[in-house]
Amino acid sequence: MISKEMERNIKANGGIREAFNEARRQKTLYGEENVFDLSIGNPSAPAPRKVVDVIKKLSENVNLDHQYMCESGYEEVRSKIAGWMNQKYKTSYGINNIIMTNGVAGGLNMVLRALLNPGDEVLVFRPYYPAYIGFAENWNGKIIEVDPGEDFQPDFEDLEGKITKRTKVVIVNSPHNPTGVIYTKETATKISEILKSKQKEYGHAICLLSDEPYRDLVYIEEELPWWPDFYQNTIVSYSFSKSLSLAGERIGYLTIPTEFEDSENVIKAVRLAMGRLGFVNAPALFQRIVGECIDEQVDLEYYAKNREILYGTLKQCGYECIEPKGAFYIFVKAPDNNEERFLELARKRHLIFVGGSSFGYSGYVRLSFCCKYEVLQRAADALKQLADDCKIISISTIYKYR
Ligand code: PLP
């Protein structure tokens, strides 16, 4: 019954779904507290107090308007967001530059719907958020993978070589899922130089689509590059899923600058896509809530503590991984590049990870640290045992043999 394309998608999505099912199976068998599900990116930090207060206040207002609205969202909310961004990024956005969306997933689909002709190419940097494949295929786009260079910054030569006359969109994601890497200023400069030169060569605009659900989850002092400062044809897709722990409420926004090529038509097409996709408009209540909570964010310390214990444990055990600077993931190299065996041994210790193959990058696994701190505390012993199972020279092993 189902289409060939969805059949392929079900298979490609296997890793995350498999991990989820395995965690559920093990919890039933061994008890919730004995299973360490580090597979999913579902935020567990509580939403800020103000969010709860605003929900309460609005839900008690019997005259609250629940009607359909303009597909871009409430003007007063977009105006607040524009004002807030103008202060933060020294931009000059008006309400027309902001479109409220159903999270980043909704935003990315709307942009791809608006821009892609069948066969147009969408470049993504390996490892990448696996949903990009489905999002591009929804609109008959073709995913082209770009390899990583050192420390999971992009390989610029590969990027340059993979841009063709069919390249329409390049998706960047920083802070990055699944590595926690932040693209440096040098990376932003280099990417924008390449895109500018390729635009000239092919004589048409290339959209840089910045996927930013983790923009506010940063654990270092360094400032994140703001992509529109580097490259004029940038659309930013933001979401409150992680920054306010509202993932299930589906709320975010797109910014399309006036300087973006043919911006008037692009904005019209993206707005139209909201209806064509069947979203109609972003959730009314949560538009109002984020409008009132624009200065709020979840307690970053909640995830910073998780990052410290998980990264500390991994390094102590001798695992190979780089320190995540943002988001809530660590990408760990599988011993001997054997992802399947590593996942299997981990499962035996009730540790549930997602294989790097799901992110287009085999030989690694992703560990998520958006769970409760206690889970990571309890997981520490299992991670040490797993290091011994894999014959990784862990500090505990060194001590044992002394
Ligand atoms: N992009 C990346 C890189 C993600 O990790 C996620 C969710 O985990 C999303 C997009 C989807 O976010 P949203 O809930 O805003 O649709």
Side-chain angles (χ1 to χ4, degrees), residues 41 102-105 129 132 173 177 211 213-214 239 241-242 247 250 329:
N102 297 57
V104 162
Y129 178 55
Y132 296 151
N173 166 229
N177 175 8
D211 171 13
Y214 303 102
S239 139
S241 289
K242 325 284 171 168
R250 316 304 307 132
Y329 309 102

Side-chain angles (χ1 to χ4, degrees), residues 5 14 39 69 81 89 104 111 117 159 161 190 258 261 279 289-291 307 309 322 325 340 347 352:
E5 190 203 323
S39 67
M69 71 197 75
I81 291 174
Y89 297 111
V104 162
V111 173
N117 289 307
L159 170 64
K190 195 81 188 123
T258 308
E261 178 150 317
F279 291 136
I289 291 162
V290 299
R307 167 185 174 264
I309 187 173
I322 52 171
K325 294 184 171 161
E340 278 309 312
R347 280 171 190 183
I352 315 295

Side-chain angles (χ1 to χ4, degrees), residues 135-313:
F135 293 171
E137 284 180 354
N138 280 346
W139 317 112
N140 300 309
K142 187 172 163 204
I143 286 279
I144 304 291
E145 299 177 349
V146 177
D147 289 334
E150 205 173 325
D151 288 343
F152 292 107
Q153 300 289 320
D155 177 334
F156 302 112
E157 236 176 74
D158 197 47
L159 170 64
E160 207 162 359
K162 294 227 167 108
I163 298 176
T164 71
K165 59 179 188 307
R166 293 307 306 266
T167 304
K168 198 64 167 287
V169 176
V170 174
I171 302 182
V172 286
N173 166 229
S174 167
H176 184 242
N177 175 8
T179 62
V181 158
I182 285 174
Y183 281 0
T184 59
K185 252 189 192 157
E186 291 71 36
T187 290
T189 308
K190 195 81 188 123
I191 290 179
S192 62
E193 278 171 7
I194 292 171
L195 294 186
K196 281 177 203 166
S197 135
K198 290 287 175 180
Q199 285 190 141
K200 240 191 221 157
E201 182 181 339
Y202 294 122
H204 66 79
I206 299 174
C207 168
L208 183 74
L209 182 52
S210 181
D211 171 13
E212 303 195 6
Y214 303 102
R215 183 162 74 209
D216 297 311
L217 301 189
V218 176
Y219 309 105
I220 54 163
E221 290 300 318
E222 219 172 286
E223 224 175 275
L224 278 191
W226 171 243
W227 291 95
D229 281 346
F230 292 81
Y231 184 70
Q232 175 183 319
N233 287 327
T234 298
I235 295 179
V236 173
S237 186
Y238 180 78
S239 139
F240 297 92
S241 289
K242 325 284 171 168
S243 65
L244 294 182
S245 270
L246 294 176
E249 307 299 350
R250 316 304 307 132
I251 186 75
Y253 59 85
L254 286 166
T255 50
I256 308 178
T258 308
E259 299 74 35
F260 194 98
E261 178 150 317
D262 195 22
S263 66
E264 224 174 281
N265 279 323
V266 171
I267 290 169
K268 270 187 206 157
V270 172
R271 287 173 57 158
L272 195 65
M274 173 65 101
R276 294 287 290 267
L277 267 64
F279 291 136
V280 183
N281 53 249
L285 184 63
F286 275 86
Q287 285 192 48
R288 292 199 179 91
I289 291 162
V290 299
E292 289 201 33
C293 297
I294 194 77
D295 286 326
E296 296 290 319
Q297 92 161 76
V298 290
D299 177 13
L300 195 59
E301 195 47 36
Y302 182 101
Y303 294 124
K305 260 177 74 187
N306 286 0
R307 167 185 174 264
E308 202 177 305
I309 187 173
L310 183 59
Y311 181 65
T313 306

